[in-house]
Amino acid sequence: MANKAQIAAASWGVKTSFHSLVALLIAGVVIVVVYLTRDAEQPPPLDEDRAAILQSSAEMASPAPAPSTSMSVPEWECDLFSGRWVFDNMSYPLYKEQECKYMSDQLACEKFGRTDLRFQQWRWQPHGCDLPRFNATALLERLRNKRLVYVGDSLNRGQWVSMVCLVESAIPPNLKSMSFKHNNSLIIFKASEYNATIEYYWAPLLVESNSDDPVNHRVPDRIVRVQAIEKHARHWSDADILIFDSYLWWRRPQMKVLWGSFGSPDGIYKDVMMPRAYEMALSTWSDWLEVHVNRSKTQVFFVSMSPTHERAEEWDGNEGQNCYKETEPITKEEYWGSGSDRAMMRVVESVVDRLKARGLGVQILNITQLSEYRKEAHPSIHRRQWEPLTKEQEAKPISYADCFHWCLPGVPDVWNELLYAHIFQNRTQRLEGRVEGL
């Protein structure tokens, strides 16, 4: 054995024998062939044709080839959230509203009379790279035996509906289902073949509040228990991927905060100014994450504020108008409306940075700037009205136009494309980190 070791070592020296070099070259060729063969057997997870993956019906025209997405996820060297909207009526929309079995009437704008559908056909183009094409089968495979849970308000619910619509056509009818639990606070879409669930949990303020009923949450005096989150958190505690949002319900000068329990005579109420109350609630949320999240298992995301478009004068429209009858995006670079509060955004960044310093990474899905441009993509008057319209409203449609939520297909699909990209990127980085640590 010693002689063999000496020969192997000597083969790299000046006096290398001809036969040893030949043997080494042959061994190297064999290794390379095996390696290339193995790689050739692995299908690319992100670049398959969307039409085939989503199993579109015969009615849907086959999409044209999308922009090149040949780069692997770890090679991204650009900010996916910085870019521009490109009109693309060949590749978008990613699904049809009427073909999604689980579409919400709050977001089904075509169903409720909208005829200008250009809003469905805009693609987000980051500067310097491309988003990987959404692949329903690849995502479902990643979710095998896992829970993906959206937690937050109705905007987060819209993103959840979008995700369900993006994947459900790739699943046979008898292998998918929807169920409602905990007084309808938890909605579960299940892909049986993968034993995977894509869920939504209603918690508009993340912490406990008197607005926690998913149906009857319109209360005249909103109250939050900024130090209480367990009531909600127990429903998402074992999730594998968590997507949080909470912003719109905090949009007020101050919030009534309760120390104690609802109905307790010993409770202490105090009006707390913004964004301090928001910071208190997010601190409770982050403390829970730090203690309960399994860092080796769970990916955590926080979706930044979803912008509103209520003041047309801010994008050079007529004063007193809003998103009603808007049909084109805003083209002014880095447009920022008054509906998005930078101070509250800094609170989120600060809380997430502190979590990172304590060893828990949370990815912020910074959808605010890219969504600011999309003044035309809200439901406006084209949605189900949950209460009968008054004569005054009927006479002035702008008065009840919804400039908060988003039509589907539309902007939330892009949010999910960004989420999809980061799910695969973060997973790859974690695997690389384990290899490097060996």
Side-chain angles (χ1 to χ4, degrees):
M1 293 298 292
N3 289 336
K4 289 183 180 180
Q6 290 170 359
I7 292 171
S11 66
W12 297 102
V14 177
K15 299 180 179 179
T16 302
S17 70
F18 173 77
H19 294 293
S20 297
L21 280 174
V22 170
L24 284 171
L25 287 171
I26 292 173
V29 170
V30 171
I31 291 171
V32 169
V33 170
V34 171
Y35 180 82
L36 292 176
T37 303
R38 183 198 63 185
D39 278 2
E41 294 173 349
Q42 300 300 320
L46 301 179
D47 299 333
E48 296 180 32
D49 184 78
R50 175 178 57 81
I53 294 303
L54 297 182
Q55 299 179 353
S56 301
S57 69
E59 298 178 14
M60 185 178 294
S62 298
S68 172
T69 56
S70 59
M71 68 174 65
S72 63
V73 173
E75 292 176 356
W76 294 342
E77 294 180 356
C78 74
D79 179 359
L80 293 180
F81 307 111
S82 176
R84 61 192 178 94
W85 289 97
V86 177
F87 186 71
D88 181 357
N89 61 355
M90 301 301 289
S91 300
Y92 288 77
L94 298 177
Y95 55 89
K96 287 188 175 181
E97 173 193 301
Q98 61 271 25
E99 293 174 356
C100 179
K101 179 180 179 181
Y102 305 103
M103 180 60 65
S104 165
D105 280 356
Q106 188 176 37
L107 313 170
C109 301
E110 186 177 2
K111 176 180 178 180
F112 289 92
R114 183 160 183 173
T115 57
D116 59 302
L117 302 180
R118 280 175 59 88
F119 73 90
Q120 299 179 349
Q121 300 169 332
W122 292 87
R123 167 172 54 82
W124 179 246
Q125 178 62 58
H127 296 312
C129 65
D130 297 318
L131 276 174
R133 183 174 294 193
F134 189 92
N135 181 323
T137 300
L139 180 63
L140 288 166
E141 193 60 56
R142 178 58 52 84
L143 294 179
R144 186 179 290 277
N145 301 318
K146 292 181 173 61
R147 295 179 67 200
L148 183 153
V149 185
Y150 291 85
V151 179
D153 57 23
S154 57
L155 290 160
N156 201 276
R157 182 171 59 214
Q159 188 176 353
W160 167 78
V161 173
S162 161
M163 180 61 85
V164 171
C165 290
L166 284 166
V167 304
E168 65 97 12
S169 64
I171 307 169
N174 61 326
L175 295 177
K176 56 188 174 185
S177 62
M178 191 78 77
S179 59
F180 300 79
K181 296 184 178 181
H182 308 295
N183 193 33
N184 295 333
S185 289
L186 181 64
I187 312 175
I188 303 171
F189 172 79
K190 183 170 185 177
S192 301
E193 181 181 0
Y194 298 89
N195 190 34
T197 60
I198 301 173
E199 308 174 27
Y200 167 73
Y201 183 81
W202 170 262
L205 297 139
L206 297 184
V207 292
E208 189 175 343
S209 75
N210 62 344
S211 300
D212 287 342
D213 190 296
V215 178
N216 302 312
H217 46 251
R218 294 184 180 181
V219 294
D221 191 14
R222 190 169 298 159
I223 304 171
V224 294
R225 296 180 64 203
V226 292
Q227 295 180 322
I229 197 171
E230 189 58 38
K231 169 189 170 183
H232 297 317
R234 59 193 176 93
H235 298 300
W236 70 65
S237 60
D238 64 342
D240 299 276
I241 301 175
L242 283 165
I243 305 102
F244 294 95
D245 94 314
S246 188
Y247 166 65
L248 194 61
W249 285 60
W250 296 93
R251 266 189 54 181
R252 50 183 59 202
Q254 60 186 26
M255 185 76 77
K256 187 178 290 295
V257 174
L258 165 63
W259 284 269
S261 303
F262 286 108
S264 171
D266 299 325
I268 300 174
Y269 295 84
K270 182 179 180 180
D271 288 325
V272 179
M273 300 300 293
M274 287 297 166
R276 175 55 183 154
Y278 186 56
E279 182 180 17
M280 293 165 70
L282 287 186
S283 293
T284 297
W285 166 80
S286 67
D287 288 345
W288 185 92
L289 289 176
E290 183 183 7
V291 173
H292 295 90
V293 163
N294 183 338
R295 289 160 172 76
S296 65
K297 167 190 174 183
T298 305
Q299 290 178 255
V300 184
F301 299 86
F302 193 97
V303 183
S304 69
M305 62 187 71
S306 173
T308 62
H309 293 92
E310 300 178 285
R311 298 181 180 180
E313 61 269 25
E314 294 181 350
W315 58 81
D316 299 326
N318 296 325
E319 187 172 356
Q321 301 296 306
N322 56 22
C323 70
Y324 177 60
K325 285 193 173 181
E326 293 288 347
T327 59
E328 294 292 321
I330 295 168
T331 56
K332 180 182 178 182
E333 190 173 354
E334 296 186 359
Y335 166 83
W336 193 277
S338 61
S340 300
D341 190 326
R342 294 183 188 274
M344 293 183 71
M345 203 159 177
R346 286 193 293 269
V347 167
V348 174
E349 293 171 348
S350 176
V351 170
V352 167
D353 284 346
R354 290 199 299 270
L355 265 176
K356 183 178 180 181
R358 302 201 298 265
L360 177 61
V362 175
Q363 172 68 51
I364 295 178
L365 290 181
N366 190 358
I367 57 88
T368 308
Q369 181 67 81
L370 65 92
S371 304
E372 283 279 8
Y373 302 121
R374 299 302 305 277
K375 61 180 170 60
E376 91 297 1
H378 298 284
S380 182
I381 64 172
H382 303 293
R383 51 165 286 186
R384 178 180 177 182
Q385 303 301 324
W386 303 103
E387 297 175 359
L389 299 174
T390 65
K391 291 183 178 180
E392 292 77 11
Q393 288 175 318
E394 290 177 345
K396 190 178 181 181
I398 192 175
S399 65
Y400 67 93
D402 181 351
C403 301
F404 293 82
H405 300 93
W406 304 91
C407 296
L408 289 180
V411 171
D413 300 327
V414 173
W415 301 352
N416 280 322
E417 287 183 284
L418 291 161
L419 172 65
Y420 172 89
H422 280 85
I423 286 174
F424 280 84
Q425 181 190 43
N426 289 357
R427 173 65 175 171
T428 302
Q429 289 175 340
R430 287 216 300 266
L431 287 173
E432 288 179 345
R434 283 203 291 270
V435 171
E436 292 169 358
L438 291 176

